[in-house]
Amino acid sequence: MRLLPETIQNFLLNRILELVGISIIFLNCFIFLSILSFSPLDPSLSNSTIYEISNFGGNIGANVSDVLIQLFGYSSFLLSLVLLSWSYKLIFQKSLPLFFLNLFLLPFLLITFSLFLEISNLITNTGFISREIISALFNISFLSSSLKINLVIF
């Protein structure tokens, strides 16, 4: 015995997925604007200052952008593209296949992109994680000496 007919259940499920997609769009806008307006002078978890918060996201936006910039650098902007694609899939396709796998692999994507930016020297602030990985690889000597020379010259 069902509480609601199947057509109404499908209708409600579709509306819930659309609401989740729209919520992800708002979260995406908040994170994007917070990273875009990041200032090292904003009071946050790693910075205690007397300055006023200049971040568009306020206190929460200053903390979120500080953590993302400190960990992943400016490759954190890639997070906005991922969230935008997830919201598109939820709103228009009504499904997000392999969501937990995508969620699990998201930090690895950000780390890989920040490593690429660190190695290519395209952006100076690539985050804490990529610098630590590069220094660990140099210390363990996984990278050959020719690659070390290329990284220094590049």
Side-chain angles (χ1 to χ4, degrees):
M1 185 170 161
R2 293 184 176 202
L3 184 63
L4 294 173
E6 188 174 339
T7 56
I8 294 178
Q9 285 179 350
N10 289 338
F11 175 80
L12 291 175
L13 180 64
N14 287 338
R15 298 302 80 77
I16 289 172
L17 290 175
E18 289 172 358
L19 284 174
V20 170
I22 291 170
S23 300
I24 290 175
I25 288 175
F26 285 123
L27 176 68
N28 179 27
C29 291
F30 175 78
I31 290 174
F32 181 77
L33 288 175
S34 296
I35 294 171
L36 190 65
S37 64
F38 170 74
S39 171
L41 299 176
D42 282 342
S44 62
L45 296 173
S46 65
N47 189 15
S48 178
T49 64
I50 59 171
Y51 295 110
E52 291 290 322
I53 297 174
S54 63
N55 196 301
F56 290 144
N59 191 19
I60 296 172
N63 288 319
V64 167
S65 64
D66 181 55
V67 167
L68 288 174
I69 295 292
Q70 292 294 327
L71 289 178
F72 305 113
Y74 286 110
S75 64
S76 300
F77 281 111
L78 191 60
L79 179 65
S80 293
L81 291 175
V82 171
L83 289 176
L84 192 63
S85 69
W86 287 356
S87 63
Y88 174 82
K89 286 182 179 182
L90 283 175
I91 292 172
F92 295 109
Q93 296 176 358
K94 307 291 189 269
S95 70
L96 195 57
L98 304 172
F99 172 71
F100 290 108
L101 180 65
N102 289 329
L103 189 64
F104 175 73
L105 293 176
L106 181 61
F108 296 108
L109 171 73
L110 295 175
I111 291 169
T112 305
F113 194 68
S114 65
L115 277 171
F116 168 73
L117 293 176
E118 177 79 26
I119 290 173
S120 63
N121 288 331
L122 292 176
I123 295 178
T124 57
N125 187 359
T126 56
F128 167 75
I129 292 178
S130 64
R131 284 190 300 264
E132 289 298 316
I133 290 174
I134 293 291
S135 67
L137 290 177
F138 281 138
N139 291 336
I140 300 174
S141 297
F142 281 135
L143 297 176
S144 66
S145 59
S146 63
L147 182 59
K148 289 181 188 178
I149 293 170
N150 289 339
L151 287 175
V152 173
I153 292 173
F154 194 6

